[in-house]
Amino acid sequence: MAEDVKSDSVVIIPTYNEKENIRNIIEAVFELPTRFDVLIIDDNSPDGTAAIVKEMQKEHTGRLHLLERSGKLGLGTAYIMGFKWSIAAGYDFIIEMDADFSHPPRKLLELRQACLDGADVAIGSRYISGVNVVNWPMGRVLMSYYASAYVRMITGLKIKDTTAGFVCYRRKVLETIDLDSIKFKGYAFQIEMKFTARKCGFKIVEVPIIFVNREKGTSKMSSGIFGEAVFGVIQLKVSSWFKKYPKA
């Protein structure tokens, strides 16, 4: 069935081997009372994730989009591709979200509303009202929580959840930031985007969420990704001393 009414909001979901989640997460977004379009960026998943999306596109013409890449090229580069595509497509609210239901789809409504209410960047935050994480091992909870504290200390960001990957951007933020200058590919990408948005003068707010660990599929977290975040923030801070940021 064709769906021709244009939405002002798009949800970007990068995927790699998410066949167990992809249909359900897309349907959950489409069931919301506010219309959100969906852009899937698939890194050549061998499990057939892209084939499921293509099948669903027949039912959701103009609302469900797919970009396919040659392989695992990094979370950051997937989002940069998605940002550029979304700007060119004319969306006003551009949202990052995982495929595994760790980010509650209904919170898309609150993130978008926060931007309508004056925020330039709205973050789905695990730590703005305590530690709201379900089914994570305690070691990973502590690692994530103190990593955000470390990032705040080094960068000066006043954000509780600096590594959050559930984020709504107003279009003007992504048009102002030089996306080609964003260098990190893993979780440090999330830190760099927030740091750059703040340096450009944009207003960032946090919306509390309950983060639930994936029930299906395999986590993409690795020590290398975490290490990039730990050591990358120092490089990010030092390089900011010599960099000119465009102003909002």
Side-chain angles (χ1 to χ4, degrees), residues 19-146:
K19 70 175 183 179
E20 295 170 302
N21 295 304
I22 193 61
R23 183 179 298 276
N24 289 338
I25 194 69
I26 291 170
E27 289 176 349
V29 173
F30 286 168
E31 287 169 2
L32 294 171
T34 297
R35 171 169 167 164
F36 293 86
D37 291 349
V38 173
L39 169 63
I40 304 297
I41 302 178
D42 187 70
D43 276 3
N44 197 25
S45 298
D47 72 347
T49 298
I52 296 171
V53 176
K54 289 175 183 176
E55 178 188 339
M56 294 185 72
Q57 282 183 305
K58 298 173 185 177
E59 304 172 32
H60 302 288
T61 304
R63 188 171 185 187
L64 176 58
H65 309 279
L66 172 66
L67 297 177
E68 296 181 87
R69 306 202 299 171
S70 60
K72 294 183 73 173
L73 302 174
L75 182 71
T77 59
Y79 275 128
I80 294 298
M81 173 183 281
F83 293 159
K84 291 179 177 180
W85 182 94
S86 301
I87 291 169
Y91 290 100
D92 295 321
F93 304 100
I94 301 165
I95 306 160
E96 305 175 354
M97 189 171 77
D98 290 347
D100 60 7
F101 283 92
S102 55
H103 302 145
R106 286 202 63 84
K107 285 289 183 173
L108 289 166
L109 300 169
E110 293 184 39
L111 293 179
R112 179 178 177 275
Q113 188 61 49
C115 287
L116 284 170
D117 290 342
D120 298 307
V121 182
I123 299 168
S125 176
R126 296 163 289 186
Y127 307 128
I128 191 65
S129 58
V131 179
N132 294 310
V133 177
V134 177
N135 294 336
W136 259 12
M138 183 53 67
R140 187 170 175 186
V141 172
L142 293 173
M143 179 178 72
S144 176
Y145 181 82
Y146 285 109

Side-chain angles (χ1 to χ4, degrees), residues 186-226:
Y187 280 85
F189 165 81
Q190 302 294 0
I191 301 165
E192 186 175 8
M193 284 296 298
K194 297 174 184 69
F195 182 80
T196 305
R198 178 67 80 195
K199 283 290 188 180
C200 291
F202 289 109
K203 180 181 179 181
I204 303 174
V205 302
E206 293 182 86
V207 173
I209 67 165
I210 296 176
F211 182 99
V212 180
N213 196 29
R214 69 163 59 235
E215 294 182 0
K216 298 178 181 179
T218 304
S219 172
K220 312 304 188 293
M221 174 64 81
S222 69
S223 58
I225 289 173
F226 181 72

